[in-house]
Amino acid sequence: MDGTRPFLPPYDLTEVNELLRRNKAVVCALTASYVSTFAGYPLDSLKSRLQTTKVPITIPTLAALVYREEGIVGFYRGLWIPLMTISFVRAASFTIYNRTKEYCRDRDILCRNNLLDVGLTGGLGGAMSGALISFCSAPFELVKVRRQLEYTIAHSKGITLAKPPNTIEAVRDIFRTSGFAGLYTGLRLHFVRDTFGTALYFLEYDGMRHLLGRNRLGEQGPIPSWLPIHISLVPFVCGSVSGVTSWALIYPLDVVKTKVQQRALAGERYRTPWETLIRLVRGPDPNTPKPLVAGIARIYRGLGVSALRSVTTHGLLWTLFDFVSRYIDDLPQKS
């Protein structure tokens, strides 16, 4: 050996570019999801706490209480679960969504360049995505809820937590108490929520992008003159609005799901989703029901912070998704 470095042939970056281009949806979904999930997780944590608390409390008061009792880590408790699973869930979700739309396009189903067809194909892709992904995401969602509500669940059991269990210990506790099936507690509600919620989300997003100038090939044209925003903000606006409105429509179902899961994790008597909804709206005593308006307000407790989370996460998600997509499209191609 003469100490010289062995000759390495120059690596052809166009091969990498082609790989990125073939898997563009997956790469875009991963990049955008990691950033948006981290940014919106503290608000998601506050949302779960607001849904299950029995007394009205303002968001700033709850945030101050969490910080005082648990520190900054309290807002990120269970964060690694969505971060760990985001690589599968987001990538699979966008892949199923895109493949469903391609299936319709290849068979000339709902292929007219109008709002109805664009919205319906987006909604169909979203429904397929939400339904299939829910079976894989349900256990992780349950563990996330468990971690976010550790102190509430411990209080229901009459236990004072000196130190909350970590994620692995939480999974072991669920498995020890209810077996493997325990990880799928609330699956039916999770399935319905994700199927309808994801369908609404993609239907609204694709419909709004069409109204704001994007054609069926995905190319962004000029935006209408009545919308006073820069063209670069179109993904953020469409993502935020579709995220907030679709979430608001399925929010009561999410509240019931979280409550059913909380009671199951605390070992309390099972209540059907309908019974849970009635108690949330009208109160525990059927002889002295709460006013309907107050009950509906109870159901939508936490919607404000949830809407803010949706604006943050979905706006960032689609902004970054489009940015990475354009970056990949502009990479040098093979000559």
Side-chain angles (χ1 to χ4, degrees):
M1 298 293 290
D2 58 1
T4 59
R5 297 177 62 184
F7 173 75
L8 294 176
Y11 190 77
D12 188 2
L13 289 179
T14 57
E15 294 291 341
V16 178
N17 296 345
E18 289 302 316
L19 179 64
L20 291 174
R21 196 168 283 110
R22 288 194 300 270
N23 298 278
K24 184 172 70 171
V26 175
V27 175
C28 293
L30 292 182
T31 306
S33 296
Y34 277 119
V35 177
S36 60
T37 300
F38 185 83
Y41 192 81
L43 297 172
D44 183 68
S45 183
L46 289 175
K47 180 267 298 181
S48 293
R49 297 167 191 266
L50 283 168
Q51 287 179 341
T52 55
T53 183
K54 296 182 179 180
V55 295
I57 186 172
T58 64
I59 295 171
T61 302
L62 178 61
L65 182 64
V66 172
Y67 182 77
R68 185 169 64 248
E69 292 185 351
E70 306 177 47
I72 194 68
V73 71
F75 296 100
Y76 285 96
R77 190 176 305 285
L79 171 65
W80 79 271
I81 298 172
L83 284 182
M84 181 188 69
T85 59
I86 208 73
S87 58
F88 169 77
V89 173
R90 289 292 192 195
S93 178
F94 276 89
T95 299
I96 296 169
Y97 158 72
N98 284 321
R99 292 289 184 268
T100 303
K101 296 204 318 183
E102 290 171 1
Y103 179 90
C104 293
R105 180 198 63 200
D106 295 342
R107 287 158 181 78
D108 199 28
I109 302 172
L110 299 172
C111 280
R112 294 172 298 177
N113 191 35
N114 59 35
L115 177 62
L116 179 63
D117 283 17
V118 170
L120 287 177
T121 51
L124 181 60
M128 289 294 294
S129 170
L132 295 175
I133 295 300
S134 66
F135 290 99
C136 299
S137 62
F140 299 102
E141 174 88 4
L142 178 71
V143 176
K144 184 192 75 171
V145 170
R146 165 63 188 264
R147 299 253 24 232
Q148 290 176 337
L149 303 178
E150 287 287 3
Y151 286 90
T152 303
I153 293 170
H155 179 73
S156 300
K157 293 180 177 180
I159 301 172
T160 300
L161 284 180
K163 179 183 177 183
N166 59 35
T167 301
I168 298 300
E169 291 169 341
V171 173
R172 288 175 179 170
D173 185 58
I174 294 172
F175 189 81
R176 183 171 58 250
T177 303
S178 306
F180 181 78
L183 294 172
Y184 281 89
T185 300
L187 172 63
R188 286 179 295 178
L189 291 171
H190 183 84
F191 173 84
V192 174
R193 186 202 69 174
D194 278 14
T195 301
F196 283 97
T198 311
L200 284 170
Y201 176 67
F202 281 112
L203 182 151
E204 291 182 36
Y205 182 82
D206 281 355
M208 281 188 284
R209 287 302 300 264
H210 177 78
L211 288 175
L212 298 185
R214 189 174 72 171
N215 61 30
R216 292 301 298 264
L217 298 177
E219 299 171 346
Q220 178 65 49
I223 63 176
S225 58
W226 53 262
L227 187 65
I229 65 169
H230 192 271
I231 193 170
S232 62
L233 292 176
V234 168
F236 188 91
V237 171
C238 293
S240 298
V241 174
S242 59
V244 170
T245 53
S246 62
W247 185 243
L249 290 172
I250 64 165
Y251 194 77
L253 180 59
D254 184 66
V255 175
V256 172
K257 178 193 77 73
T258 303
K259 192 66 178 177
V260 168
Q261 290 177 327
Q262 179 205 355
R263 288 183 60 84
L265 291 168
E268 298 178 351
R269 183 184 67 84
Y270 172 74
R271 292 184 184 136
T272 65
W274 180 249
E275 182 184 2
T276 301
L277 177 64
I278 294 298
R279 288 177 65 90
L280 286 170
V281 174
R282 304 314 303 266
D285 188 355
N287 297 318
T288 57
K290 292 189 300 185
L292 184 60
V293 173
I296 294 175
R298 166 70 180 85
I299 281 288
Y300 277 94
R301 184 186 298 165
L303 179 60
V305 68
S306 188
L308 181 59
R309 178 186 67 90
S310 291
V311 169
T312 303
T313 56
H314 295 291
L316 281 175
L317 174 70
W318 285 107
T319 300
L320 291 170
F321 190 97
D322 272 32
F323 175 81
V324 176
S325 178
R326 290 195 304 271
Y327 176 82
I328 293 175
D329 287 340
D330 293 338
L331 290 173
Q333 301 187 39
K334 284 185 176 181
S335 56

